[in-house]
Amino acid sequence: MTLRPATRAELPAVLALLADEDRVVDPAGIVVGEAHERAFASIEADPRNEMLVLVEEDGTVIGCLQATYVPGLGKGGAERALVEAVRIRADRRGGGLGRILMESAAARARARGCALVQLTSNKQRVAAHRFYASLGYARSHEGFKLVL
């Protein structure tokens, strides 16, 4: 298994993971729109962003996350990694792949010199919260969002 930046050819597989976290979605049925193309191109071109995929030896994408490296003045001026869009394919959960995904992402952040990794998770995803806590993530802040 390998964690690496996604390629454009893997965009349908990533979108399939993000489409429904409770069932397996066939990437062949995913329509990649112009907005997806622009977003992926922006992520790929930005050295502070990575769309990472967890890929099996046969090339099957079974997990993903987006990491954004945010510069800041706190923590001695160190970057922090913001992790979003964390998914493991529904039929592959429970076998430690999420742990591999998140620990590998944290290792990448550490190698960049990041002082911390932070993420938000929907309040309804109770199992995900237990998972993140098992990895050492603390509920240190209350998050807020404004839909524009």
Side-chain angles (χ1 to χ4, degrees):
M1 211 132 351
T2 306
L3 180 73
R4 59 167 172 70
T7 66
R8 166 53 190 89
E10 293 164 331
L11 184 53
V14 170
L15 294 175
L17 290 171
L18 298 176
D20 190 332
E21 68 180 279
D22 294 323
R23 66 181 181 89
V24 177
V25 175
D26 183 358
I30 294 294
V31 175
V32 178
E34 276 187 48
H36 295 124
E37 294 283 3
R38 280 193 308 273
F40 185 80
S42 292
I43 292 166
E44 195 173 41
D46 184 348
R48 292 195 180 279
N49 270 288
E50 295 183 300
M51 188 71 221
L52 301 173
V53 288
L54 189 60
V55 182
E56 293 185 307
E57 288 181 21
D58 68 359
T60 302
V61 175
I62 57 171
C64 69
L65 65 76
Q66 182 176 347
T68 301
Y69 303 102
V70 182
L73 297 176
K75 301 285 184 191
E79 284 184 327
R80 64 191 63 221
L82 173 62
V83 173
E84 298 183 349
V86 178
R87 294 289 189 282
I88 294 293
R89 204 171 74 182
D91 65 342
R92 298 298 302 274
R93 290 199 196 114
L97 295 174
R99 182 170 295 278
I100 291 168
L101 180 67
M102 291 300 293
E103 287 177 351
S104 297
R108 289 175 79 91
R110 192 176 296 109
R112 276 186 71 104
C114 290
L116 61 91
V117 177
Q118 61 189 31
L119 58 88
T120 60
S121 181
N122 189 300
K123 288 186 176 193
Q124 297 171 345
R125 299 184 71 218
V126 177
H129 303 165
R130 282 193 303 270
F131 168 68
Y132 295 131
S134 78
L135 293 173
Y137 287 79
R139 293 178 186 237
S140 62
H141 293 70
E142 187 73 22
F144 298 88
K145 292 186 179 192
L146 174 65
V147 177
L148 302 177

